[in-house]
Amino acid sequence: MHFMNGAAQNHQLRRLCSHLFANAWLLILLLAFRANAAEIFLQRPELKEAYAILKNASSLKECFRATEPIVLHLPDITIRFSEGFFYSFPKLNGRATGFAFSGKGEVLFEPRHRLERQQLYRFTDQEKLTAEFDYFVLRTLDDRLQIGRFRTEIANQAPPKQLLKFLQTSQKALLERRGFNLPSRLLVESLAPQSRYVFLSFRNIRDDAVFPPFYYYVYDPYAHESIRLYQYRPRRLGKPFYTICSYPEGDYLAPPKASSLRVTKYNGWLQIDRKGFVKADLGADIYLGGRAIQSLYFQFSNILTLHSVKDENGDSLEFIQEKDQSGFTLFFPPDYYFPDTLRLLFSYSGELLERNADGNWYIRDRIYWHPRLGYYKRARYKLIFKYPAHLQVVSIGKLVRDWAENGWRLSYFIHNRPAKASLFAMGDFIRDGFYGPDSVYIEIFGRRSGNQRYFRKITADVANSLFFFSRFLHPYQFDNIRIVEAPRLDSQGFPGFINLSYLSFKLQYQGIMEALRSHEVAHQWWGNLLGWRTYRDQWLSEGFAEYMSALYLAWAFPSTNLFDEILRAWQDDIIEGGNIGVSLGLLRFGFSKNALRNSDSHKSGPIFLGHRLGQKDPVDYYLFVYEKAAYVLHMLRWLMLDDRTGSDEAFWDMLQRFIQKYRGGDPSTQDFIEHVSEYMNQDMRWFFNQWLLDNAIPTYDYTYSFDEDTSGVWLRGRILQKNVPEDFRVDLPVHLIWADGKRWRGRIAIRQPETSFGFGPFSEKPEKVIFNAGRAVLAKMKP
């Protein structure tokens, strides 16, 4: 999360001063906003008072002493208070809001799911966390957890200074490092007649007595992943805050239930000045279905400041947005009338765009530059951009009007198909374009300081990719596509819009750059036409796009071995961890071999953990959600291959049907598993359990020989399967090739640690034997 040190604050002050001379009246308002360091617009006295009480972490009241050990049980965690003092937080309308404890106690946390136990071990070296604490905090409005229910006696003991410091530090770390506003969350709970939300924090002195780490446990029965555990190490540099565990109480693989609550359309304008400072008035249509609610939480970039929220009647609504908070909470009056569609107007501002050293502009937060409700919910966009006349803005959607007004340039874009996200770019661009396959107009926008020699090469790759995916998957859904050079190492694909890394305009390594461009084009299908449900399912976007780009290389460059090279690169990255070769896969993401060597690799977990894999190092996220997920699809394609003809038609047909079934929607991993199982007419959970929900990589030691008898030539041998569970399943392809080019295809069905095999009879001995043909299984092969 965004955190300003002293130097950064001075930098912000200098920039504010430059704004002052450019636009004095606006700066007076902004200085007032900055001085507050937060936006808290609460009108009701009871809300103001409640929030002030909850926000004051040190406002401890009565003191109680435990007369005997007290044990507290919550889902998957047990807390034992051996001896010490309890200090209650102030009550709200007679309801307890929690307590703090100073003394001796122990915690036992045992995740109920295997993958989460692995994650706990990754961060703590324990599959069951056993901790000792000296300071402990519980915040809740659950009446069952009041101190009065414990066996205690009133004591006259002031809270230790170290306890107060722990309270302040732990709550501040939540806000600054995670963007989470605990008092605001508790305020929402206080509006409900009953609450089961529980928040715990404690110091684990068993782990480190000098600089003990903080742990946070959250039980939120209203969330799909209702149990969460976080770790914060105050003295650690770099990334001190980790999500250790986050999971549902029930089926681990089951996706959350679909919610109809969503933003259906954004409609408004953004004004961008010469310094990249944005003022926005953005309307949002929110579908409620007539339900009455008390509050809504919007995710929103913490580099932006929300100034007001008004409904369609012009009435202002109450909200809380603390400095560093990664969102804001909106409150509705008790008697508010809720239509099916709620229309709100958000007014906000901030330094959203920043200028690069070469003069190009980039958006500092490409996802949360506008308020978002829920996880990547789809919405339509109607946006007017007002910006300096000498620049140009390019956005997703159709440009319906472009005009000049009082020294400004205005561009009006409409995107009428629901999109998971939207993006725009501003700069001094050189533009080129031509018509590609199916009369799709391909536009390219590059920096004037960039290398324009590669424009035609880039647009040719985009055109060829569009043709390839349209023929093998589904027709492209727009009549144009825009490619914009981005001053970043990474690229992103939005509907009809690709933010393409400057590396693709600068470097032309054969295979790497073509795959990069094709990957982003593939997102028009995997990620946009077809989305993903939760962060655990994002491999359905990134892994699919990665594999599609490799298949594009095989199709576009059939006389080269680029496809095999990228397969080998993925294999080396995943199995060897950067110890051999130079990765064609991760090189284009800006990672070196050293980054791989220093990563957690398989210890980071399986593909299904999504972005959580990259908490210590982002390379682990790319390694598994991109490369290994792509390899899983490669293995699935080979599993579906017709051994008689070598055709992969069934694989493409299965994908086409998946797109038809979920087009415009956001399927889950479970949906894909069920679709594959139905298509193949067999339960395929074993395959995905091995490769998505586990991280074991098999090693195969094999021996073979040819025997000849009266019937002909026989291939016989033995294969040992190692480093995986005993029930690990693989159908290992074996190809025999004769001198005249004739090829025989077969498979070894491996179902146990040792397997004997025999193939034949053949009329003559083959010239070549290939085990694991086509690198069809991600494995180490040892002849």
Side-chain angles (χ1 to χ4, degrees):
M1 289 300 148
H2 184 62
F3 177 72
M4 280 192 196
N5 56 26
Q9 290 175 343
N10 291 334
H11 173 68
Q12 295 291 339
L13 183 58
R14 288 195 298 272
R15 299 201 60 169
L16 283 174
C17 290
S18 71
H19 284 305
L20 179 61
F21 292 104
N23 208 337
W25 65 269
L26 177 61
L27 221 292
I28 292 173
L29 292 174
L30 290 176
L31 287 173
F33 292 141
R34 297 290 176 130
N36 291 336
E39 284 296 328
I40 303 171
F41 182 74
L42 296 176
Q43 294 177 308
R44 284 173 280 177
E46 63 271 21
L47 279 188
K48 287 183 178 179
E49 181 182 358
Y51 185 62
I53 290 173
L54 293 169
K55 189 176 177 181
N56 186 355
S58 302
S59 59
L60 300 176
K61 297 299 182 181
E62 297 91 353
C63 175
F64 302 86
R65 185 179 68 84
T67 58
E68 62 180 41
I70 297 169
V71 179
L72 182 62
H73 297 283
L74 290 167
D76 295 0
I77 192 169
T78 300
I79 306 102
R80 177 184 174 88
F81 303 96
S82 300
E83 58 179 86
F85 296 89
F86 295 90
Y87 304 88
S88 63
F89 289 102
K91 293 184 176 181
L92 288 182
N93 301 320
R95 298 174 68 183
T97 62
F99 61 84
F101 173 82
S102 174
K104 294 181 180 180
E106 301 84 33
V107 165
L108 174 63
F109 175 73
E110 184 176 0
R112 64 185 66 191
H113 300 295
R114 176 181 58 85
L115 294 191
E116 299 297 334
R117 290 194 293 273
Q118 290 178 358
Q119 285 296 292
L120 184 62
Y121 186 83
R122 177 189 179 193
F123 289 96
T124 68
D125 293 329
Q126 301 180 69
E127 289 194 357
K128 300 178 183 179
L129 177 65
T130 55
E132 296 178 6
F133 59 81
D134 51 0
Y135 302 123
F136 181 96
V137 175
L138 182 145
R139 302 305 306 264
T140 186
L141 282 91
D142 187 341
D143 292 334
R144 297 172 302 171
L145 300 177
Q146 294 184 30
I147 297 177
R149 294 179 178 269
F150 303 159
R151 294 189 178 181
T152 59
E153 61 183 17
I154 297 176
N156 184 19
Q157 180 81 18
K161 290 183 179 179
Q162 283 296 105
L163 174 62
L164 299 178
K165 183 179 179 181
F166 169 73
L167 284 167
Q168 294 169 347
T169 302
S170 61
Q171 186 165 305
K172 182 180 178 182
L174 279 174
L175 190 59
E176 292 182 348
R177 299 291 185 174
R178 300 292 297 193
F180 177 63
N181 186 349
L182 176 61
S184 179
R185 182 69 179 84
L186 292 172
L187 183 61
V188 171
E189 292 299 315
S190 73
L191 301 177
Q194 287 186 331
S195 173
R196 295 294 181 263
Y197 180 85
V198 181
F199 174 89
L200 310 178
S201 60
F202 57 90
R203 302 197 320 173
N204 184 8
I205 57 176
R206 172 178 290 183
D207 187 54
D208 189 333
V210 180
F211 301 119
F214 296 2
Y215 285 87
Y216 303 89
Y217 165 92
V218 178
Y219 177 63
D220 185 355
Y222 319 107
H224 173 64
E225 296 189 354
S226 55
I227 299 172
R228 281 163 277 161
L229 184 73
Y230 305 97
Q231 182 193 72
Y232 171 58
R233 292 184 175 271
R235 297 285 179 170
R236 176 173 290 176
L237 299 176
K239 296 181 179 180
F241 214 126
Y242 302 111
T243 300
I244 297 180
C245 295
S246 182
Y247 55 90
E249 293 182 82
D251 185 354
Y252 192 71
L253 192 61
K257 294 180 180 178
S259 171
S260 60
L261 182 68
R262 67 190 186 278
V263 176
T264 60
K265 182 176 69 175
Y266 292 98
N267 189 355
W269 65 274
L270 291 88
Q271 177 176 308
I272 312 168
D273 70 11
R274 294 174 180 269
K275 300 292 185 180
F277 190 88
V278 168
K279 285 178 58 183
D281 283 323
L282 193 63
D285 289 1
I286 303 171
Y287 180 75
L288 298 176
R291 78 187 77 178
I293 54 177
Q294 295 177 314
S295 65
L296 284 174
Y297 184 78
F298 291 86
Q299 294 173 290
F300 190 53
S301 177
N302 57 13
I303 62 177
L304 298 170
T305 300
L306 181 68
H307 303 313
S308 68
V309 183
K310 295 183 179 180
D311 63 16
E312 60 184 321
N313 298 317
D315 295 329
S316 295
L317 297 175
E318 299 171 282
F319 67 88
I320 295 174
Q321 183 202 26
E322 290 283 359
K323 181 180 179 291
D324 295 315
Q325 186 175 347
S326 59
F328 59 87
T329 305
L330 191 63
F331 296 92
F332 297 91
D335 56 350
Y336 196 81
Y337 169 73
F338 291 97
D340 281 351
T341 298
L342 177 68
R343 291 182 169 86
L344 301 178
L345 177 65
F346 301 97
S347 295
Y348 59 92
S349 65
E351 295 176 358
L352 178 61
L353 281 78
E354 191 163 319
R355 204 169 187 178
N356 217 16
D358 63 1
N360 200 15
W361 295 89
Y362 67 92
I363 298 178
R364 296 169 63 194
D365 193 325
R366 292 169 290 174
I367 300 298
Y368 299 108
W369 58 269
H370 60 78
R372 298 184 63 92
L373 186 63
Y375 180 81
Y376 284 103
K377 293 291 185 71
R378 294 175 181 266
R380 295 176 172 88
Y381 294 83
K382 294 185 177 181
L383 300 174
I384 296 175
F385 299 93
K386 183 177 181 180
Y387 53 95
H390 69 285
L391 299 174
Q392 186 174 1
V393 161
V394 187
S395 173
I396 75 164
K398 182 179 181 181
L399 178 62
V400 296
R401 189 183 174 198
D402 193 58
W403 72 102
E405 184 179 287
N406 299 325
W408 294 86
R409 185 174 179 180
L410 292 93
S411 300
Y412 182 26
F413 290 88
I414 296 179
H415 187 80
N416 276 325
R417 299 191 185 189
K420 290 182 76 68
S422 175
L423 189 69
F424 67 93
M426 185 178 79
D428 184 15
F429 298 119
I430 293 290
R431 176 185 169 277
D432 196 2
F434 72 96
Y435 285 95
D438 302 321
S439 299
V440 174
Y441 189 60
I442 302 172
E443 295 178 276
I444 186 166
F445 299 84
R447 300 172 297 166
R448 290 185 181 274
S449 60
N451 194 334
Q452 300 163 38
R453 293 184 302 144
Y454 299 128
F455 276 25
R456 287 294 169 177
K457 171 60 178 170
I458 293 169
T459 49
D461 284 335
V462 171
N464 289 333
S465 296
L466 286 172
F467 178 84
F468 177 67
F469 299 135
S470 293
R471 295 302 181 272
F472 282 88
L473 293 172
H474 186 278
Y476 179 62
Q477 57 182 331
F478 302 109
D479 58 8
N480 75 316
I481 188 168
R482 300 187 180 102
I483 316 299
V484 180
E485 182 179 4
R488 307 177 64 98
L489 287 173
D490 60 326
S491 304
Q492 277 184 302
F494 295 81
F497 184 103
I498 295 177
N499 209 35
L500 192 62
S501 169
Y502 75 94
L503 289 177
S504 191
F505 289 75
K506 183 178 180 181
L507 305 173
Q508 295 303 311
Y509 299 130
Q510 188 180 29
I512 298 177
M513 290 301 114
E514 287 87 353
L516 168 63
R517 295 162 193 148
S518 187
H519 175 107
E520 298 307 330
V521 174
H523 276 312
Q524 299 303 311
W525 286 263
W526 309 107
N528 291 306
L529 180 62
L530 208 72
W532 66 96
R533 183 75 62 84
T534 73
Y535 73 91
R536 295 179 182 273
D537 309 307
Q538 198 162 358
W539 74 278
L540 292 172
S541 170
E542 300 300 352
F544 274 63
E546 187 76 353
Y547 191 52
M548 291 298 110
S549 69
L551 291 174
Y552 165 75
L553 290 181
W555 173 81
F557 306 97
S559 61
T560 70
N561 61 347
L562 287 174
F563 180 69
D564 186 67
E565 285 182 12
I566 204 164
L567 283 177
R568 189 174 69 247
W570 292 342
Q571 194 174 41
D572 291 344
D573 289 346
I574 297 164
I575 296 177
E576 304 295 341
N579 289 314
I580 63 172
V582 177
S583 168
L584 289 176
L586 291 175
L587 180 62
R588 62 189 169 91
F589 298 124
F591 295 110
S592 66
K593 288 198 296 181
N594 284 335
L596 270 177
R597 293 190 188 110
N598 296 330
S599 77
D600 275 354
S601 190
H602 290 95
K603 294 180 181 178
S604 62
I607 295 169
F608 194 59
L609 288 174
H611 66 77
R612 288 170 55 190
L613 296 167
Q615 291 189 89
K616 291 186 176 181
D617 196 310
V619 70
D620 292 313
Y621 169 72
Y622 287 96
L623 183 65
F624 290 94
V625 176
Y626 284 67
E627 294 194 346
K628 188 178 179 183
Y631 217 112
V632 170
L633 291 173
H634 180 65
M635 290 189 285
L636 180 62
R637 175 170 161 260
W638 268 82
L639 203 60
M640 300 176 71
L641 211 66
D642 186 328
D643 285 336
R644 185 177 58 84
T645 64
S647 171
D648 64 353
E649 183 180 345
F651 174 76
W652 290 106
D653 184 53
M654 179 272 294
L655 294 183
Q656 290 168 10
R657 295 182 185 219
F658 187 60
I659 290 175
Q660 289 289 352
K661 186 175 183 179
Y662 291 100
R663 181 176 56 181
D666 302 309
S668 67
T669 298
Q670 183 67 48
D671 292 328
F672 185 65
I673 295 173
E674 290 175 358
H675 174 77
V676 173
S677 297
E678 181 181 347
Y679 186 89
M680 297 183 68
N681 198 28
Q682 59 176 297
D683 189 347
M684 291 297 293
R685 282 179 296 180
W686 65 268
F687 175 83
F688 294 101
N689 285 343
Q690 286 182 179
W691 298 108
L692 290 181
L693 302 181
D694 209 339
N695 50 13
I697 302 293
T699 296
Y700 293 111
D701 292 343
Y702 63 93
T703 58
Y704 70 94
S705 62
F706 288 100
D707 299 329
E708 191 171 352
D709 59 22
T710 56
S711 62
V713 177
W714 290 82
L715 171 67
R716 305 184 195 276
R718 187 184 67 159
I719 190 164
L720 302 179
Q721 180 173 256
K722 302 177 180 178
N723 303 322
V724 289
E726 288 193 359
D727 59 350
F728 202 85
R729 297 178 57 176
V730 160
D731 289 334
L732 191 75
V734 179
H735 286 189
L736 306 183
I737 304 174
W738 282 265
D740 59 0
K742 186 177 71 173
R743 180 184 293 257
W744 177 89
R745 301 176 182 90
R747 299 174 190 258
I748 304 173
I750 301 174
R751 303 292 185 268
Q752 53 194 6
E754 182 174 342
T755 302
S756 298
F757 60 88
F759 300 112
F762 305 107
S763 60
E764 59 181 322
K765 182 179 178 182
E767 186 176 83
K768 190 175 183 180
V769 181
I770 304 175
F771 288 86
N772 197 17
R775 303 184 189 276
V777 177
L778 181 60
K780 281 187 176 183
M781 303 299 299
K782 294 184 176 181

